[in-house]
């Protein structure tokens, strides 16, 4: 099952994760407010399905909401989802193969819109 989580981060900040079962697929930077973390989730749900994929290993360029495939110095690949203003919203772990990075993108595009949100910052 795919889902988003809102988590507490250092210094009273918040962060977002998108998971498949217990595996974290992508995660965000820290946000100063929970509202900003929620906006991140809403934006991914709305914009990821139609976002283009830019393969930076092939010197491709893009604008608007987009997924980027990035190669590390150790020849692994990770995924970044960028907002229309060019700011990174979430990124993935480094994968041994580019195919795995592409699978991550397809999973986010397909599963994020209907994914439930668990707010782990709420105390019961």
């Amino acid at each position: 099952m795919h889902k988003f989580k809102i988590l507490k981060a250092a210094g009273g900040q918040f962060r977002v994760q998108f998971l498949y079962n217990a595996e974290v697929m992508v995660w965000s930077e820290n946000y100063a407010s929970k509202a900003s973390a929620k906006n991140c989730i809403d934006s991914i749900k709305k914009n990821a399905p139609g976002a283009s994929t830019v393969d930076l290993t092939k010197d491709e360029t893009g604008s608007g909401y987009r997924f980027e495939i990035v190669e590390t110095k150790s020849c692994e690949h990770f995924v970044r989802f960028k907002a229309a203003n060019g700011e990174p919203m979430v990124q993935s772990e480094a994968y041994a193969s580019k195919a795995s990075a592409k699978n991550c993108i397809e999973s986010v595009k397909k599963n994020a819109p209907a994914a439930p949100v668990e707010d782990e910052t709420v105390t019961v």
Side-chain angles (χ1 to χ4, degrees):
M1 176 179 153
H2 290 84
K3 64 184 171 187
F4 285 97
K5 279 188 181 181
I6 299 174
L7 304 160
K8 288 185 179 181
Q13 296 188 321
F14 301 87
R15 60 189 169 95
V16 171
Q17 294 178 335
F18 181 67
L19 300 94
Y20 175 65
N21 293 328
E23 179 185 348
V24 178
M25 297 182 66
V26 293
W27 59 88
S28 72
E29 63 182 24
N30 289 349
Y31 292 101
S33 71
K34 189 188 297 190
S36 294
K38 288 180 179 178
N39 287 341
C40 174
I41 293 169
D42 291 343
S43 186
I44 292 168
K45 285 177 169 248
K46 177 182 176 185
N47 298 298
S52 63
T53 298
V54 177
D55 189 342
L56 298 181
T57 69
K58 295 181 178 179
D59 294 326
E60 294 177 354
T61 59
S63 61
Y65 285 95
R66 64 194 178 277
F67 288 94
E68 294 180 339
I69 298 173
V70 183
E71 188 172 46
T72 67
K73 290 179 183 177
S74 59
C75 297
E76 293 182 312
H77 298 85
F78 69 92
V79 173
R80 253 189 322 236
F81 182 67
K82 285 197 169 180
N85 65 4
E87 290 294 314
M89 296 178 65
V90 292
Q91 78 171 41
S92 73
E93 66 179 302
Y95 297 103
S97 73
K98 190 185 291 188
S100 294
K102 289 179 179 179
N103 288 342
C104 175
I105 292 169
E106 291 308 311
S107 184
V108 173
K109 283 183 168 192
K110 178 182 174 187
N111 299 298
V117 178
E118 290 182 7
D119 186 345
E120 294 198 350
T121 67
V122 177
T123 53
V124 181

